């Protein structure tokens, strides 16, 4: 199963990596707290992982409109 990278704001798929090329501990041993893991790494029903991150377009929007940081989901 691949690891999917998806924008948490606009839900655009940014990319994916084959899971067999990554050690499962890779997802947990980097400097990320258990709370951040729960918020940003989603385990799917079939064993796949989705990492919630941010795409370039949304990052640019957040830089232009920093008040969007206060909103959990600002794209409707």
């Amino acid at each position: 199963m691949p690891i999917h990278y998806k924008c948490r704001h606009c839900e655009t798929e940014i990319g994916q990596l084959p899971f067999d090329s990554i050690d499962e501990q890779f997802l947990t041993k980097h400097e990320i707290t258990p709370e951040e893991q729960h918020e940003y790494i989603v385990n799917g029903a079939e064993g796949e992982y989705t990492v919630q991150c941010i795409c370039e377009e949304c990052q640019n929007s957040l830089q232009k409109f920093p008040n969007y940081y206060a909103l959990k989901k600002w794209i409707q």
Side-chain angles (χ1 to χ4, degrees):
M1 292 287 156
I3 299 173
H4 299 276
Y5 288 83
K6 192 173 185 181
C7 180
R8 61 187 170 131
H9 298 288
C10 68
E11 298 185 6
T12 298
E13 185 163 328
I14 298 167
Q16 57 181 297
L17 295 172
F19 185 72
D20 57 344
S21 68
I22 296 178
D23 181 355
E24 186 172 352
Q25 291 180 353
F26 173 82
L27 295 171
T28 59
K29 70 181 176 184
H30 289 47
E31 297 176 16
I32 183 169
T33 66
E35 293 81 20
E36 290 170 329
Q37 278 182 354
H38 183 69
E39 184 174 349
Y40 297 114
I41 300 174
V42 179
N43 297 335
E46 296 180 18
E48 74 277 2
Y49 290 100
T50 300
V51 178
Q52 301 283 326
C53 47
I54 187 168
C55 71
E56 191 173 344
E57 294 294 322
C58 290
Q59 179 64 36
N60 289 338
S61 294
L62 286 169
Q63 287 176 339
K64 290 179 186 174
F65 305 101
N67 58 321
Y68 287 176
Y69 279 105
L71 305 172
K72 181 144 181 116
K73 185 128 175 127
W74 47 271
I75 296 180
Q76 302 298 319

